[in-house]
Amino acid sequence: MKNWMTIQQERIADDMKRRINKVLEHGQYIMGPEVKELEEKLAYYVGVEHAVSCSSGTDALMLALMAYGVGPKSTIITTPFTFIATAEVAALLGADIMFVDIDPVTFNIDPDKLEHTLEIARPEVHTGVIAVDLFGLPADYERLRSICAKYGVFIIEDGAQSFGGELLGDKTGSLTVIGCTSFFPAKPFGCYGDGGMCFTNARAAKDVMESFRVHGKGKYKYENVRVGLNARLDTLQAAILLSKLEIFHDEVEKRQEVAKTYNVLLTDSDLTLPTVPEGYKSAWAQYSVLAENEHHREKLREKLMLQDIPCPIYYPKPLHLQEAFKDLGYSKGSLPISEDYAKRIFILPMNPYITLEEQVKVSKTIERT
Ligand SMILES: *Cc1c(COP(=O)(O)O)cnc(C)c1O
């Protein structure tokens, strides 16, 4: 399979070189005009007032938690079926962490189980939820928002994988008071390094996150009103993203087509295919499938790998069973759906430029079992 990022790069090479050269000429490598331009354009794209760019998706989550004042007296509730960064930021700020199992159809945090957890825990301390839009599919924010409002807890969207996705016509990033995304190269909207962004309509949140982003600055650089981070987005990465934005809408639509094609090609396979509920649009960061069991998965992946078809496992170990979180006291069996899916899930090649022939090869390889 041809590296799709090369195809993408060829498509925008002239524009990107022009923008990169412009940065080299003006020399404002930190917080140059491209950073502001990208923030304005992406805020408009997402449909919010403000965008605060930063150095990674992890730092976007960190800034959002810091804006909510998360610290050692806080509790953060999230899904165990995600990338470590989602929960890591809460741990770094000293917060307690509670995991809630996923919905078996969407793989996102299960609103019923969240409500059950909140009902039992009756949070007396400062509590928030981080919902993850796994593989590009928005979580059920309709229900999550109303449950969080009922129990007086805040909610943050980890949209690292879902930039370009939608829920009832609203773009990811706009689905909670502060939404976060990542520009890591492998995400749907990736740069050529690390980068991330927070989105919000709340002016106060924007101001606080901009301060935290640059060492807790006050009115000027050498006035420090809080303890913060060095978490800026590089001007060069902003320039690269501005180029990629020109074709992003088209790429999101291409991913929809690729997903539809897989759905057709794999209908008769013995895999469970991803479901996109009515009213949702996935950014299709990944096309994930569930095998019948661990053995079945390994048989299929061996066949795919023999054909040089990449088929990684996201995620092989749910967070509550990670060594890093052993102090939280979870054990095997405590979050059964995440644990079961970790044994059965794997990923098929998904990008805007994959050809029908390549998809047919994938499906044929899977059929031959
Ligand atoms: C990638 C990812 C992050 C972290 O983003 P980085 O830019 O790599 O720091 C956070 N959450 C989820 C769900 C991710 O997939």
Side-chain angles (χ1 to χ4, degrees):
M1 278 183 198
K2 195 168 175 193
N3 183 342
W4 70 271
M5 290 197 193
T6 313
I7 304 174
Q8 184 196 51
Q9 196 177 89
E10 282 162 4
R11 217 180 145 190
I12 48 173
D14 291 342
D15 183 70
M16 198 182 312
K17 278 176 194 152
R18 185 179 60 77
R19 289 182 198 268
I20 289 173
N21 278 330
K22 213 166 141 196
V23 176
L24 299 181
E25 279 160 27
H26 68 54
Q28 296 175 56
Y29 304 123
I30 302 292
M31 297 308 271
E34 285 79 4
V35 174
K36 188 116 219 94
E37 186 183 345
L38 182 73
E39 288 176 338
E40 281 168 11
K41 285 190 169 158
L42 293 193
Y44 179 78
Y45 176 86
V46 163
V48 296
E49 291 286 316
H50 313 288
V52 178
S53 61
C54 60
S55 45
S56 68
T58 305
D59 280 328
L61 291 168
M62 192 75 161
L63 290 171
L65 290 182
M66 289 165 93
Y68 274 105
V70 169
K73 291 195 177 67
S74 312
T75 298
I76 295 297
I77 305 176
T78 191
T79 158
F81 203 55
T82 179
F83 181 59
I84 183 79
T86 309
E88 188 183 36
V89 284
L92 278 172
L93 289 169
D96 192 18
I97 295 168
M98 287 173 79
F99 291 112
V100 166
D101 213 349
I102 53 172
D103 174 281
V105 174
T106 64
F107 306 172
N108 287 326
I109 193 166
D110 186 327
D112 289 326
K113 290 174 195 142
L114 174 67
E115 182 155 26
H116 183 71
T117 301
L118 287 168
E119 188 63 38
I120 292 170
R122 285 275 165 193
E124 281 162 26
V125 292
H126 184 232
T127 301
V129 172
I130 304 179
V132 177
D133 307 336
L134 200 71
F135 305 144
L137 180 71
D140 183 358
Y141 292 98
E142 289 270 279
R143 291 208 51 218
L144 293 172
R145 283 186 303 236
S146 77
I147 293 164
C148 288
K150 179 175 160 192
Y151 290 91
V153 306
F154 64 89
I155 177 163
I156 292 170
E157 177 185 15
D158 179 349
Q161 302 182 6
S162 66
F163 195 72
E166 291 174 22
L167 172 54
L168 301 174
D170 292 327
K171 286 262 183 341
T172 61
S174 74
L175 302 173
T176 54
V177 174
I178 303 175
C180 304
T181 199
S182 162
F183 305 133
F184 182 80
K187 313 281 175 172
F189 191 52
C191 58
Y192 290 158
D194 279 309
M197 201 169 273
C198 297
F199 300 96
T200 187
N201 283 314
R203 179 66 207 241
K206 174 217 180 221
D207 289 343
V208 162
M209 290 192 292
E210 282 184 348
S211 168
F212 277 127
R213 174 174 69 182
V214 187
H215 304 288
K217 75 175 163 69
K219 284 191 190 62
Y220 63 100
K221 192 173 169 185
Y222 298 108
E223 181 190 51
N224 305 99
V225 294
R226 42 179 78 83
V227 173
L229 308 167
N230 173 6
R232 292 168 297 230
L233 178 71
D234 291 346
T235 307
L236 277 169
Q237 298 303 341
I240 287 156
L241 287 166
L242 282 167
S243 258
K244 291 200 181 192
L245 186 59
E246 304 278 327
I247 56 167
F248 182 63
H249 177 74
D250 177 56
E251 290 187 337
V252 173
E253 295 315 306
K254 283 188 158 70
R255 284 179 192 265
Q256 308 303 311
E257 293 307 313
V258 172
K260 271 190 209 147
T261 302
Y262 271 137
N263 290 346
V264 173
L265 290 173
L266 297 169
T267 349
D268 295 328
S269 71
D270 33 21
L271 294 170
T272 306
L273 307 182
T275 305
V276 177
E278 186 81 37
Y280 288 69
K281 182 174 183 175
S282 177
W284 290 112
Q286 309 290 350
Y287 189 91
S288 66
V289 292
L290 288 174
E292 288 166 347
N293 52 49
E294 201 166 8
H295 175 71
H296 182 217
R297 175 174 74 179
E298 285 327 297
K299 235 174 55 186
L300 290 174
R301 290 186 67 238
E302 263 168 38
K303 291 209 153 67
L304 288 163
M305 287 186 284
L306 273 175
Q307 301 289 324
D308 287 323
I309 298 169
C311 49
I313 296 172
Y314 303 143
Y315 293 93
K317 197 184 233 194
L319 299 190
H320 66 289
L321 301 180
Q322 294 283 359
E323 172 90 13
F325 290 133
K326 69 171 187 299
D327 290 350
L328 297 176
Y330 287 90
S331 55
K332 272 204 178 123
S334 42
L335 299 161
I337 297 175
S338 298
E339 291 171 34
D340 178 40
Y341 283 15
K343 294 195 182 94
R344 293 165 54 200
I345 203 154
F346 65 102
I347 303 296
L348 300 180
M350 158 59 80
N351 68 70
Y353 303 102
I354 190 169
T355 62
L356 179 60
E357 293 70 41
E358 287 171 327
Q359 287 194 272
V360 168
K361 184 179 166 188
V362 171
S363 79
K364 288 242 162 81
T365 308
I366 283 170
E367 266 166 34
R368 255 184 262 121
T369 50

